[in-house]
Amino acid sequence: MLDPLAAARAASDTPAPAATPASGHTRRGFVRGVAVAGASTMAAVALDSAGATSLMGDSAVAAGPPTPFFDFEAIAASSADRFEVPEGFRADVVIGWDDAFQNTDGTKLRYGFNNDFLAYMPLPGKPDEALLFVNHEYPGPFFQHGHATAAEKTPADIALEKSSVGNSIVHVRRNAEGVWTVVSPSPYNRRITGDSPACRVTGPLAGKADAALADGTLVRVGQSAERPDVIDGSIANCSGGITPWGTALSCEENFQDYASASGYGWGGTYSLTTNANYGWVVEHDPYDASSTPRKHTALGRFRHENTAFRHVAGKRFVLYMGDDKVNEGVYKFVSSRKFVEGRREENLKILTEGQLFVAKWSPEGRRRFKNADGSGLLTATSGTGEWVLVNESELVDTASHLRKRFGADYDKYFATNRPEDVEVDVDGTVYVSFTNNSGVNDQHGAIRKLREQNNDPTAATFTWEDYAEGGPSGRDDVGEQGFSSCDNLVFDDANNLWVVTDISSSSLKGSSSQKAYYAYHGNNAVFMIPRSGPNAGIAYRFANMPIEAEGTGPYFSADGSTLFVNVQHPGEETPTVKGAVYGKPETYTSWWPQGDRTAGVNPSLPRPTTVAITRARQPAGPGTPGPGGPGPGTPGPGPGTPPPGGSTTIPPTTPEPTPKPTGRTTISVPGSVKLATLTGRGITAEVRVREAARLLVQLRVRVPKVGRSKARTITAVTVRRTVGAGEHDVRLRPGAVARAALRLRRGRKLQAEVLLEVTPVDGSPKKLRRSDRFRIS
């Protein structure tokens, strides 16, 4: 088994610093392969107790050397259907929804929908290779099969949705041109979906059949009485985190949306009144394809957004988390165990036992405003706080139990304005991203700093202050107008803070219900905030998202030369738009990444996608000081620096010609299938199409006369799907009525036919039809 810290150090060309801060290991240190950096523990504590840390700037850790992202010209806000970065940078698609990749064991995989969290996991001795661990938060029924409501869905629709959520582990490699591409096949490549594999349950609630929700309902934590210690699959995977022992943590957030008819309509053990199977933090080992994911009940059950760890030698391991809902809280888990480097099997037990605490803020937790546009702050911008213990009986329904315990005090002291991200700086300071809360007129959100007493991660008390406020900045220079609705955060090696925004798609400029106070912002975006130098505290716009999309999961490569960003839900408002028709991209609100609705180019199916941003050119000589600090300007080439070229937009503003269709359109099924297999898990039809197209696949069976039932041909199942050019697997399982009819003919020889109808998405009226036959025995 890999020791990831040692492996990362072996892969890094960056020497480890000589001193160690009070913070110990953090996410940034792990990814770079450097365990610690900055001031010594005693020095940091002494400065903090003397109130002198402010003399060192925003952070007690000095800015690092220039990075490839240190210097750029901020870009203007945009409402265009494009992913945009500054001149001198390039953006490349790495992988997108429904793209095929494969494991070396022959397993065919499809990249999931709505990619959110991303973790870059280094591979030992291979600086140009890594694993991307990616969350897929929720399905997109309208774009996937056209049935927007639960009542319309077929079993095949729900199966397709389940296969599109969960997680992807993708092996990537940087080629000679500096562009990241997927390695396929690879033994690392795999998927976790909404119903597979079975995840092991750990902690105090593992296998508990009578855990009590806050309203008294008793629920099971486990799949069934026969399988009490496992839960099938993972859903609602929003953000997450990593651990210093080399695993990834995936957070199940909006799990309440899956079971009911008003949500996705999956029913079964996704129900909130029978099972507590989702809403946990799930630990995965991306390096070991044979490993079993684990759901940790000790970390509580709420709308988990992300995790951020902190380890200080000799102290118990700490994990910070947020509950991504308005008027909910920030949590800290203090393990019963300490992290010891090199003892991986012991470290894997760290998240299975410990105590969970919720932050109590004084004088209050929420930022409240007088006016509906988010102006007129009514509350304090700094204060103190304490960590309040969450009881074991409250873990299964954490926030609701706490509300029941504290009553009106919960909203005053524990509630916050949607904590969508928590990150730990290398000096131990905790940064919390509060997105917004219209209920208290906080339309733009803020980033808050939390400092543990004596910089001890296990401390019972803390101080806090609001660090960066969202909303119009009043600045005139291009790209400096301010951010709104901050979401995920990430630090770079030069000590700058990067922020992605999460303004609701329905509120963005250009949408049907746009809000005037967001008009200045344009689309969602990526910002960089320097934390030292003459430009400290100014938010500079670095990247723009396409229409109705948000950037998620920002993560730097180990050498700092690439910023990975997931683009989630482009065209999200399409199902609500009058005249939008499934299968007709020209009616969609976004055509990204293959098309550009703003420019009227190439109507296409919008696809959530992972993007890699790198430097495109490296001019020689000194440059103009950039927002990241006082200069010199553009840094010299670093590891993996791409050559000149590439595009600052996706798609390019001058698009390449659309390739002509190639190859044949075919459909293939096995020659013979057992009736029990067909009525059980169904069969897989292998489809190949020449170009992006809408598919209609039907399974028809000729059934002989039985009793009074006449011989006839029945349509057992119909599947509709929009796909790109290439090979695709279509699962065909007869519906309930068809299965009953087939079982009546058990023992009879049956003939079946699979029909394929292909309609190109480019608007061409031509249709292709193919078929294949098989026997049912």
Side-chain angles (χ1 to χ4, degrees):
M1 194 65 63
L2 292 173
D3 179 342
L5 279 171
R9 289 195 185 97
S12 175
D13 295 326
T14 306
T20 57
S23 64
H25 295 315
T26 63
R27 159 179 146 173
R28 179 154 44 128
F30 167 69
V31 173
R32 291 185 62 221
V34 179
V36 286
S40 70
T41 301
M42 293 182 63
V45 172
L47 285 167
D48 186 61
S49 61
T53 49
S54 61
L55 299 177
M56 303 177 67
D58 171 69
S59 171
V61 178
T67 74
F69 294 85
F70 184 75
D71 181 23
F72 62 88
E73 185 174 347
I75 61 176
S78 169
S79 295
D81 197 21
R82 292 186 288 272
F83 185 99
E84 301 172 326
V85 294
E87 288 296 326
F89 291 84
R90 60 183 289 167
D92 296 286
V93 168
V94 180
I95 188 171
W97 163 49
D98 205 39
D99 281 350
F101 61 117
Q102 191 170 331
N103 190 285
T104 48
D105 65 5
T107 303
K108 296 179 180 179
L109 307 164
R110 291 281 172 181
Y111 195 64
F113 201 82
N114 272 338
N115 34 217
D116 196 312
F117 173 68
L118 180 150
Y120 177 99
M121 313 292 284
L123 284 174
K126 298 181 178 180
D128 290 320
E129 296 188 36
L131 306 181
L132 300 184
F133 178 89
V134 180
N135 283 354
H136 300 290
E137 186 176 7
Y138 57 94
F142 177 87
F143 294 123
Q144 290 180 278
H145 47 66
H147 297 150
T149 65
E152 300 174 278
K153 293 179 186 177
T154 67
D157 294 339
I158 292 176
L160 181 62
E161 291 178 16
K162 288 180 180 179
S163 71
S164 71
V165 299
N167 315 93
S168 291
I169 294 96
V170 184
H171 184 183
V172 294
R173 177 185 296 135
R174 185 165 40 197
N175 64 22
E177 288 72 42
V179 177
W180 291 92
T181 59
V182 175
V183 178
S184 180
S186 167
Y188 296 110
N189 291 338
R190 58 190 161 111
R191 283 292 320 279
I192 291 87
T193 69
D195 58 4
S196 178
C199 304
R200 187 159 63 85
V201 186
T202 79
L205 303 186
K208 193 171 180 61
D210 58 352
L213 303 181
D215 64 4
T217 302
L218 300 182
V219 294
R220 176 181 296 281
V221 183
Q223 197 65 26
S224 64
E226 296 73 28
R227 303 169 62 216
D229 59 346
V230 298
I231 294 172
D232 289 340
S234 185
I235 61 172
N237 305 92
C238 191
S239 190
I242 61 170
T243 69
W245 51 90
T247 58
L249 302 178
S250 179
C251 294
E252 297 179 327
E253 186 195 342
N254 288 309
F255 58 92
Q256 74 285 345
D257 294 337
Y258 287 79
S260 69
S262 61
Y264 299 116
W266 291 7
T269 55
Y270 301 92
S271 169
L272 302 181
T273 58
T274 59
N275 294 72
N277 286 355
Y278 307 97
W280 306 106
V281 175
V282 191
E283 185 173 13
H284 301 265
D285 186 349
Y287 296 102
D288 183 2
S290 66
S291 62
T292 300
R294 298 181 298 153
K295 299 198 176 192
H296 295 306
T297 63
L299 304 183
R301 179 171 175 260
F302 48 86
R303 297 189 195 183
H304 283 279
E305 170 71 17
N306 87 309
T307 70
F309 75 83
R310 188 172 174 210
H311 160 65
V312 172
K315 296 285 185 179
R316 289 176 293 162
F317 188 84
V318 164
L319 197 72
Y320 295 95
M321 299 168 285
D323 184 350
D324 183 7
K325 185 181 178 184
V326 293
N327 304 321
E328 296 300 350
V330 175
Y331 293 85
K332 177 172 77 171
F333 172 75
V334 180
S335 177
S336 300
R337 296 171 175 267
K338 301 173 183 178
F339 168 71
V340 180
E341 189 174 338
R343 297 178 57 186
R344 196 166 193 274
E345 291 305 312
E346 290 300 309
N347 292 334
L348 286 170
K349 301 175 185 177
I350 284 176
L351 302 181
T352 65
E353 56 184 50
Q355 292 178 309
L356 183 66
F357 299 85
V358 62
K360 181 178 181 181
W361 310 84
S362 182
E364 67 177 283
R366 295 178 299 182
R367 288 165 53 86
R368 293 183 292 108
F369 292 80
K370 179 180 179 180
N371 304 313
D373 63 356
S375 61
L377 182 63
L378 299 173
T379 52
T381 57
S382 64
T384 60
E386 62 179 296
W387 295 104
V388 177
L389 180 67
V390 176
N391 299 319
E392 184 177 305
S393 61
E394 296 171 320
L395 293 174
V396 71
D397 191 11
T398 312
S400 297
H401 273 299
L402 292 174
R403 282 188 168 277
K404 185 176 180 180
R405 194 209 307 184
F406 294 110
D409 280 352
Y410 188 88
D411 275 338
K412 182 172 183 180
Y413 297 113
F414 298 92
T416 63
N417 295 351
R418 283 187 67 198
E420 282 217 73
D421 199 84
V422 183
E423 298 294 339
V424 182
D425 194 8
V426 290
D427 69 345
T429 303
V430 179
Y431 285 72
V432 186
S433 180
F434 293 118
T435 301
N436 52 38
N437 184 352
S438 59
V440 291
N441 292 329
D442 183 5
Q443 312 298 354
H444 300 292
I447 300 169
R448 179 172 293 177
K449 296 195 304 182
L450 180 157
R451 186 77 169 175
E452 299 277 20
Q453 182 67 33
N454 294 327
N455 206 17
D456 178 354
T458 65
T461 60
F462 58 86
T463 57
W464 64 269
E465 64 176 302
D466 290 334
Y467 165 67
E469 297 181 343
S473 66
R475 299 178 65 87
D476 295 327
D477 290 347
V478 173
E480 299 178 20
Q481 281 67 52
F483 67 85
S484 178
S485 305
C486 47
D487 192 335
N488 300 141
L489 310 173
V490 66
F491 300 103
D492 66 20
D493 289 339
N495 210 29
N496 301 308
L497 178 64
W498 293 72
V499 183
V500 297
T501 65
D502 182 14
I503 301 172
S504 171
S505 295
S506 61
S507 299
L508 287 167
K509 182 179 179 181
S511 65
S512 58
S513 56
Q514 66 183 20
K515 300 294 190 294
Y517 42 77
Y518 292 133
Y520 79 98
H521 199 280
N523 290 347
N524 279 308
V526 180
F527 291 84
M528 187 267 271
I529 304 176
R531 295 190 299 150
S532 57
N535 300 310
I538 301 173
Y540 294 89
R541 184 180 288 250
F542 176 78
N544 288 320
M545 298 300 110
I547 290 176
E548 294 163 10
E550 64 169 306
T552 62
Y555 219 106
F556 286 97
S557 60
D559 60 15
S561 68
T562 304
L563 174 60
F564 292 94
V565 177
N566 281 328
V567 179
Q568 192 185 61
H569 58 70
E572 182 179 34
E573 291 296 296
T574 295
T576 69
V577 174
K578 185 178 180 180
V581 179
Y582 169 71
K584 293 187 176 181
E586 64 273 16
T587 69
Y588 299 167
T589 56
S590 173
W591 301 343
W592 190 87
Q594 293 169 304
D596 180 343
R597 184 181 174 97
T598 306
V601 175
N602 193 27
S604 303
L605 180 69
R607 301 169 65 208
T609 295
T610 298
V611 172
I613 307 170
T614 52
R615 274 279 180 185
R617 58 182 172 84
Q618 300 289 336
T624 302
T634 306
T641 300
S647 176
T648 58
T649 66
I650 300 174
T653 50
T654 305
E656 298 178 2
T658 302
K660 295 182 178 180
T662 59
R664 301 175 59 193
T665 296
T666 61
I667 186 168
S668 176
V669 291
S672 178
V673 176
K674 292 185 180 297
L675 179 61
T677 300
L678 181 63
T679 57
R681 65 174 181 269
I683 64 167
T684 298
E686 296 182 353
V687 176
R688 189 187 187 285
V689 293
R690 290 157 41 90
E691 57 190 310
R694 300 190 296 274
L695 306 184
L696 185 150
V697 185
Q698 285 188 333
L699 169 60
R700 297 180 180 178
V701 183
R702 180 66 182 174
V703 295
K705 181 179 182 298
V706 173
R708 294 183 179 181
S709 297
K710 297 180 180 180
R712 65 191 190 279
T713 298
I714 63 173
T715 299
V717 62
T718 299
V719 175
R720 293 177 175 85
R721 189 179 300 179
T722 302
V723 300
E727 297 179 354
H728 304 273
D729 291 341
V730 179
R731 174 70 66 177
L732 299 171
R733 182 173 183 261
V737 175
R739 292 199 301 271
L742 292 173
R743 287 169 181 146
L744 283 175
R745 277 79 177 177
R746 185 178 283 110
R748 309 285 291 272
K749 293 183 178 180
L750 305 177
Q751 296 292 325
E753 182 179 31
V754 178
L755 303 178
L756 168 67
E757 181 179 279
V758 178
T759 305
V761 298
D762 62 4
S764 169
K766 64 182 179 181
K767 291 185 178 181
L768 293 176
R769 293 179 175 85
R770 299 288 186 268
S771 64
D772 196 14
R773 299 175 183 269
F774 65 94
R775 298 183 305 278
I776 303 173
S777 57

